Amino acid sequence: MKYVVGVAGTPGAGKSTFCKALKEHYLELNRPVKIFNLDAGCEVNLAYIPDWNVTDVIKVSELMKDLVLGPNGALMEAMSQFLDDRCDIVTNEMDKCADETFIILDLPGQVELYTVRDTMKDFYKRVQNSGYRVCNIYMFESTALRQVDFFVAYSTTVSMSMYHMAVPQLNLLSKMDIIFNGPKQQRLEFPFSYYASADSVAIMICIEKDSHKAKVDNKKFHKLTERLAEINQSYALLNYIPFTLGDFRFLAYIRFQIDRALGATAVVKGIRAPISGYSSEENELKDFIESFMEKCVKISKIKDMMN
């Protein structure tokens, strides 16, 4: 059995840095792991040394020149050409990996690949049909939590990805250290539990509507935000996990969730069993993360909400 962990998300969310950190974490646990870079636009300055690199096969810079395309159009064309027409190249490399290997895919940041186009969706299906277990990770920067309308917009994209890709998906809020270490006035307006699940978004919007800012802003824009929040809430797909490189316990908790999403197993003393079952370690990690998140919230806002 082999496992595929695709890491997608918005540009600048820290996908490559996360891939590097996750690989190092797996190596510390003596798990076989590889990183495949599938971002044809990332030709230099990767955060890690890839075990396989799509830019050895196709480059965005060359397509921009040959087809007279912009960066985004060239990347979409590169992904289409490669995964639709030359998919065997990467799957053959994946097949060379040892059994029980976790193959981390560093994916491009173009949202169309995960919400509209079928390129990545069909690739995942092909890999699954070859016997791999697949899960997807979608990341965006936690700074979007500072504005409810931004958060709703990002959450809509995440929901579309979960629905379109049709594989287990973990949703990460990256760079939480920016909020934790930033000025108190730039911390979160609401308890993190409100963001972690879409069920509370409507409550946040109602509170924001009563603020001075909401009264002077475009009413149609706020109406659209409300409708998008209602859609997210009706599907009830969303749940977020915070992440920062500042503490290995975040990675450890995410690893538990990846194992569960993949149904990852290993043979121990001749018996195959789940790698990460429910344990006191996971509960301790969850308690740590919840405690961390409480410190990212404006104390004054919590007191106001309790009154």
Side-chain angles (χ1 to χ4, degrees):
M1 182 66 66
K2 298 176 189 176
Y3 308 99
V4 172
V5 182
V7 181
T10 57
K15 297 184 293 295
S16 295
T17 303
F18 173 77
C19 288
K20 176 185 178 183
L22 185 61
K23 179 179 181 180
E24 292 173 350
H25 182 64
Y26 278 142
L27 290 174
E28 290 175 356
L29 298 172
N30 295 318
R31 293 193 187 182
V33 59
K34 302 285 185 182
I35 297 183
F36 284 26
N37 174 44
L38 291 189
D39 186 351
C42 195
E43 301 176 17
V44 294
N45 299 327
L46 277 170
Y48 55 85
I49 299 175
D51 297 288
W52 186 83
N53 198 337
V54 70
T55 59
D56 294 335
V57 180
I58 192 167
K59 291 183 173 66
V60 164
S61 59
E62 295 176 355
L63 288 177
M64 290 174 63
K65 182 179 179 181
D66 295 342
L67 302 179
V68 194
L69 294 170
N72 188 67
L75 179 57
M76 299 302 292
E77 179 64 22
M79 295 299 290
S80 179
Q81 284 189 18
F82 180 71
L83 291 182
D84 290 345
D85 303 329
R86 291 188 274 177
C87 182
D88 288 342
I89 298 176
V90 65
T91 54
N92 288 340
E93 291 297 322
M94 293 168 63
D95 290 342
K96 295 177 183 178
C97 297
D99 199 23
E100 312 294 348
T101 297
F102 287 80
I103 302 171
I104 303 170
L105 304 181
D106 189 0
L107 302 173
Q110 273 63 20
V111 67
E112 303 98 308
L113 289 169
Y114 319 106
T115 59
V116 180
R117 296 206 176 191
D118 290 335
T119 302
M120 278 304 305
K121 178 180 179 180
D122 291 343
F123 174 70
Y124 278 168
K125 283 183 178 178
R126 182 167 182 172
V127 169
Q128 285 178 312
N129 291 337
S130 298
Y132 292 80
R133 293 186 180 180
V134 179
C135 79
N136 199 52
I137 290 176
Y138 200 95
M139 305 174 62
F140 68 83
E141 278 195 49
S142 58
T143 50
L145 303 184
R146 290 174 176 161
Q147 290 183 250
V148 175
D149 47 6
F150 277 28
F151 176 63
V152 171
Y154 277 111
S155 293
T156 303
T157 302
V158 174
S159 294
M160 292 173 65
S161 173
M162 295 182 74
Y163 182 79
H164 185 71
M165 297 301 289
V167 296
Q169 179 167 302
L170 303 179
N171 305 312
L172 302 191
L173 297 169
S174 65
K175 304 181 182 180
M176 286 301 308
D177 53 302
I178 295 178
I179 292 178
F180 181 75
N181 295 322
K184 289 185 178 181
Q185 63 269 25
Q186 294 184 9
R187 293 186 180 177
L188 302 181
E189 294 285 350
F190 302 93
F192 183 74
S193 59
Y194 278 50
Y195 302 93
S197 174
D199 293 344
S200 301
V201 174
I203 299 175
M204 293 192 290
I205 291 176
C206 289
I207 296 174
E208 286 288 294
K209 283 181 67 176
D210 293 334
S211 69
H212 174 71
K213 177 180 180 299
K215 292 178 182 177
V216 299
D217 278 348
N218 189 306
K219 292 183 179 180
K220 290 184 178 179
F221 176 76
H222 284 280
K223 197 70 173 178
L224 174 62
T225 301
E226 288 179 353
R227 292 293 176 263
L228 291 175
E230 289 173 3
I231 293 172
N232 289 330
Q233 189 169 356
S234 66
Y235 279 96
L237 292 173
L238 294 179
N239 201 297
Y240 291 104
I241 303 173
F243 171 69
T244 176
L245 288 174
D247 197 303
F248 80 94
R249 286 174 286 189
F250 286 95
L251 270 177
Y253 182 74
I254 292 169
R255 180 246 307 166
F256 271 101
Q257 307 314 308
I258 291 174
D259 288 345
R260 189 161 296 120
L262 291 170
T265 61
V267 177
V268 180
K269 297 181 179 179
I271 300 175
R272 180 171 291 277
I275 293 178
S276 296
Y278 291 97
S279 66
S280 58
E281 179 188 358
E282 182 180 1
N283 290 332
E284 291 173 2
L285 292 170
K286 184 177 181 180
D287 290 342
F288 157 74
I289 290 175
E290 290 177 350
S291 175
F292 174 90
M293 295 313 304
E294 288 177 1
K295 300 175 183 177
C296 295
V297 181
K298 292 181 181 178
I299 302 300
S300 58
K301 175 67 70 168
I302 295 178
K303 289 182 178 178
D304 292 342
M305 292 172 66
M306 293 177 65
N307 292 333

